[in-house]
Amino acid sequence: MTTTERPRPASEQEEVEAVVAAIKGSRKYRAVSVDTIRALTRQAYPEHRKRKALDKAVRRRLHGIVASHLGDPEYEGLAASLADALARGDAAQERVLCAHALRQHLSTRERWPYLTEFYAAIFEHTGQPGTVLDLACALGPLALPWMGLPATTELWAYDIHEPRVALIDGYLRQRGQAGGAEVRDIVLDPPRRRADVVLLLKELHRLQRNYPRLGSGLGSDWLAALPAQHLVVSLPAISAHGGRRLTTHYRQMIHRLVDGRGWAIQEIGFEHEVVFCLDTRPG
């Protein structure tokens, strides 16, 4: 290069891929789907063209989406223990392991005292489903021993946390449960598989906060596009800090989202969450 030549500026793709590689290679976010990291980086690039600012902006978004502060089990060890229990047909040990894992994540820990009643109330309303989609599932599918579903019910679980998805997919297969688990960002790439019931448990408010387009009127369109007869949306009944009651606030939000669609809404209340069963084809 002569003294009159200047270094060629990095292209958008080069900047994006450099940030994606740095974030995916970090300890905090190495378990997150690379597709989500890449999509968020591309979204942020027009406003943050300098690499350091772009990296910071994407990590800020991921912090809210991944929510590692909610808690996680040790996935490899749990997967091995569950596989051993299922291979031996030890249903009691399966329950012990699943219960321990469920109590390590804030959302399912709060649900634990009424776990059986929770799913019984939902499926009493929807009827026994042939296919269930569990969106942004976290550890929810580990509640299968308390769901009261037959092995023939297809349970499809989606999350962006790769070790979590691997655990759940292996658990479903080893248990003989129809369905499976996939690494998928349900906002950027919604599932197209039709289902009787879609579960979106304690996630809609976080999705709205971390995916700006869902905080607008587009959130209604996103919900309506989910391919199910029954959309089961639960939201916190009490704030995580301060104990503020949130039921009225979220009830109003849900009614705004489905206004004009002709959907029936059934509300079911529990100590820590309120469940809205949205019937997209009411009888």
Side-chain angles (χ1 to χ4, degrees):
M1 184 173 69
T2 67
T3 56
T4 59
E5 291 178 343
R6 294 182 179 180
R8 181 176 60 86
S11 68
E12 175 179 342
Q13 181 176 349
E14 289 171 336
E15 290 294 313
V16 165
E17 290 305 319
V19 169
V20 169
I23 295 176
K24 180 65 176 173
S26 68
R27 180 180 179 85
K28 187 173 183 179
Y29 297 119
R30 64 188 177 193
V32 179
S33 164
V34 70
D35 292 335
T36 293
I37 297 172
R38 182 173 289 111
L40 295 177
T41 307
R42 286 173 175 164
Q43 287 177 4
Y45 180 80
E47 295 182 18
H48 306 279
R49 292 178 180 269
K50 292 186 176 181
R51 189 176 298 182
K52 185 175 181 180
L54 180 60
D55 185 287
K56 184 177 180 180
V58 176
R59 289 175 191 263
R60 188 183 307 118
R61 290 278 302 278
L62 284 170
H63 177 76
I65 293 170
V66 176
S68 56
H69 60 282
L70 296 179
D72 282 295
E74 197 282 296
Y75 286 103
E76 289 188 9
L78 176 59
S81 296
L82 277 171
D84 177 68
L86 291 167
R88 292 185 288 104
D90 191 340
Q93 182 62 8
E94 175 197 358
R95 281 179 167 251
V96 168
L97 292 167
C98 288
H100 180 69
L102 291 169
R103 289 196 292 263
Q104 291 184 59
H105 190 278
L106 176 62
S107 180
T108 44
R109 181 165 67 245
E110 290 179 340
R111 191 179 300 134
W112 174 254
Y114 49 84
L115 186 63
T116 300
E117 294 80 5
F118 179 82
Y119 287 104
I122 289 171
F123 296 135
E124 180 180 2
H125 175 78
T126 66
Q128 182 175 292
T131 304
V132 177
L133 307 187
D134 193 345
L135 307 187
C137 64
L139 298 176
L142 296 184
L144 258 172
W146 297 271
M147 287 188 193
L149 295 177
T152 53
T153 293
E154 293 185 28
L155 176 60
W156 294 97
Y158 304 94
D159 205 289
I160 64 170
H161 191 288
E162 293 171 348
R164 183 181 294 157
V165 170
L167 164 75
I168 292 169
D169 189 59
Y171 171 63
L172 295 175
R173 285 187 289 102
Q174 292 151 4
R175 197 175 195 269
Q177 189 75 38
E182 297 179 7
V183 176
R184 181 187 290 260
D185 189 306
I186 61 166
V187 177
L188 302 176
D189 184 21
R192 305 300 178 192
R193 182 179 280 108
R194 293 211 60 81
D196 301 304
V197 175
V198 161
L199 300 176
L200 183 62
L201 306 181
K202 285 190 182 178
E203 281 295 327
L204 181 58
H205 62 305
R206 293 200 326 107
L207 295 178
Q208 288 180 321
R209 183 166 62 245
N210 294 304
Y211 294 85
R213 72 185 186 90
L214 291 190
S216 66
L218 292 176
S220 175
D221 295 334
W222 180 78
L223 274 178
L226 296 176
Q229 180 177 354
H230 303 284
L231 304 180
V232 178
V233 179
S234 82
L235 290 156
I238 305 171
S239 65
H241 306 288
R244 182 166 60 93
R245 298 296 302 183
L246 299 172
T247 301
T248 299
H249 169 73
Y250 285 132
R251 180 184 298 125
Q252 293 170 347
M253 181 189 82
I254 290 293
H255 280 265
R256 284 196 305 270
L257 282 174
V258 305
D259 184 45
R261 295 195 178 274
W263 295 356
I265 303 175
Q266 174 70 38
E267 182 178 322
I268 308 171
F270 294 94
E271 181 181 358
H272 292 288
E273 65 192 297
V274 55
V275 179
F276 299 95
C277 297
L278 312 177
D279 298 339
T280 65
R281 297 193 296 274

